[in-house]
Amino acid sequence: MNGREQISSPKRTKEIIQRYKFSFKKSLGQNFLIDQNILDKIVEAAELDSSAGALEIGPGIGALTERLAQTAGAVTAVEIDRRLIPILRDVLSPYPHVKVRNDDVLKVDLKELFAEDFAGVERVSVVANLPYYVTTPILMKLLEEKLPLDNIVVMIQKEVAERMAASPGGKEYGSLSIAVQYYSEPELVCKVPKTVFIPEPNVESAVIRLKVRQQPPVEVADELHFFEVVQACFVQRRKTIANNLKARYFPQEGRERLEALLAEAGIEPTRRGETLSIEEYARLSGVLLAAGIA
Ligand code: SAM
């Protein structure tokens, strides 16, 4: 620290906002964190040290960025709002190992960013208080691009966190749970009340840690096909998988062929999508693919 209060303290946050006459843009999901305990929990969950790198998405005025700079060896923060860049460059000037990029994370070539900013860094984690309007696209981009990532620790809407971490059988379990769990092991770190943000968001939040898998938990011949089958089984949650699969893959046929294939996969046709494990989806996709059904 440079003898000043942390950026994230309520006093300094208000000071920065006033000094730079910053006005919040709701459309960019701008809710800044002002709770020191929550920030500690986020940074701890990322398991950083000076040999690690941190990629932050949406640094705002730098509350979390500063904590990351005090822990990690290299920090890159990608912020879409041009108005925040001079503020960030100024308040983060005591931390030369922080790089601020003015970009939309959904448009950035992340492989290139990793090569440029994290060459020589042993491992990299993504740590962020995400803008809620684009949480899922951002996380799916990070996971699908198969970046060399260790952990992803993010603050997101509580309901979305619960869906990501859900097990088969419950109403939260769906295609998002399966997609996230295919690439990572999710774990809820803590729930977060609205009162720790300026301004307060409309929804409850939670911090989730996704431990990125080196290998998927199941063997899948064609990932695109696997995810299509999963999607198809959840098109109408209240319908059985036989009905959902029939609508997607066998609209003109009777049920015999579909039932034979389900039997081959060892799955009862009367089950609902929310009861199937990731292993069962992998088996189902394998059987359908081998029968040329795609
Ligand atoms: N990290 C800060 C904190 O915790 O106080 C701010 C978090 S705020 C919830 C989300 C931040 O993401 C905002 O600064 C917003 O401008 C930025 N943002 C929104 N969409 C973005 C995008 N597509 N790419 C990069 N940053 C984005």
Side-chain angles (χ1 to χ4, degrees):
M1 255 206 282
N2 52 336
R4 302 191 67 164
E5 269 185 58
Q6 297 267 309
I7 297 169
S8 52
S9 78
K11 185 166 161 247
R12 184 123 185 258
T13 296
K14 282 177 196 150
E15 222 174 74
I16 293 170
I17 287 168
Q18 276 169 11
R19 176 152 34 105
Y20 296 93
K21 299 187 174 53
F22 179 75
S23 54
F24 290 92
K25 258 196 197 154
K26 211 173 168 187
S27 61
L28 290 178
Q30 291 179 340
N31 304 96
F32 297 169
L33 254 175
I34 49 160
D35 186 291
Q36 314 310 300
N37 288 332
I38 303 287
L39 281 157
D40 285 345
K41 281 191 188 160
I42 296 176
V43 175
E44 264 167 40
E47 297 171 338
L48 301 167
D49 58 36
S50 58
S51 68
L55 170 63
E56 186 188 3
I57 295 156
I61 57 164
L64 177 57
T65 329
E66 182 177 51
R67 299 301 193 99
L68 296 172
Q70 290 160 351
T71 324
V75 180
T76 286
V78 181
E79 173 58 60
I80 196 172
D81 189 345
R82 197 157 37 91
R83 301 170 308 151
L84 287 166
I85 306 304
I87 307 180
L88 284 163
R89 297 240 155 91
D90 192 9
V91 298
L92 294 169
S93 61
Y95 307 99
H97 56 301
V98 174
K99 179 167 176 183
V100 175
R101 287 175 175 253
N102 183 202
D103 235 320
D104 176 347
V105 73
L106 292 174
K107 295 190 182 144
V108 174
D109 182 334
L110 289 171
K111 290 215 166 78
E112 212 174 278
L113 182 151
F114 269 64
E116 276 176 25
D117 296 4
F118 297 122
V121 173
E122 268 176 35
R123 57 210 167 78
V124 180
S125 290
V126 169
V127 190
N129 169 18
L130 286 179
Y132 293 175
Y133 76 107
V134 277
T135 299
T136 307
I138 292 176
L139 288 178
M140 290 321 296
K141 174 173 174 170
L142 292 170
L143 293 169
E144 283 168 359
E145 288 198 11
K146 302 192 171 137
L147 299 159
L149 277 174
D150 201 23
N151 282 311
I152 300 177
V153 179
V154 282
M155 170 95 75
I156 58 177
Q157 190 177 334
K158 193 183 84 185
E159 285 72 22
V160 180
E162 284 167 350
R163 278 164 48 209
M164 289 180 174
S167 311
K171 67 174 177 6
E172 283 93 15
Y173 183 74
S175 51
L176 181 66
S177 328
I178 295 161
V180 168
Q181 292 170 30
Y182 181 78
Y183 295 110
S184 73
E185 292 173 77
E187 185 193 328
L188 278 177
V189 176
C190 60
K191 294 184 183 167
V192 180
K194 297 174 186 182
T195 47
V196 303
F197 302 93
I198 300 183
E200 285 188 19
N202 297 324
V203 295
E204 298 294 332
S205 307
V207 177
I208 190 168
R209 171 165 64 183
L210 309 178
K211 232 181 178 351
V212 178
R213 295 182 192 273
Q214 301 307 310
Q215 291 294 327
V218 286
E219 217 175 293
V220 163
D222 179 338
E223 286 181 355
L224 197 63
H225 183 267
F226 167 73
F227 288 118
E228 272 170 14
V229 169
V230 172
Q231 291 281 353
C233 289
F234 284 101
V235 165
Q236 297 214 39
R237 285 187 76 97
R238 296 166 67 87
K239 282 195 174 179
T240 62
I241 46 161
N243 283 338
N244 273 324
L245 289 170
K246 181 169 177 339
R248 168 71 174 79
Y249 294 106
F250 308 88
Q252 314 298 346
E253 287 181 46
R255 304 177 72 90
E256 298 73 24
R257 184 147 170 251
L258 170 60
E259 285 183 2
L261 290 167
L262 282 167
E264 194 184 328
I267 298 166
E268 282 291 320
T270 52
R271 287 174 63 185
R272 296 216 162 86
E274 68 199 38
T275 70
L276 266 65
S277 66
I278 199 162
E279 289 78 15
E280 289 175 310
Y281 276 112
R283 227 159 53 219
L284 179 56
S285 156
V287 167
L288 292 177
L289 200 63
I293 292 151

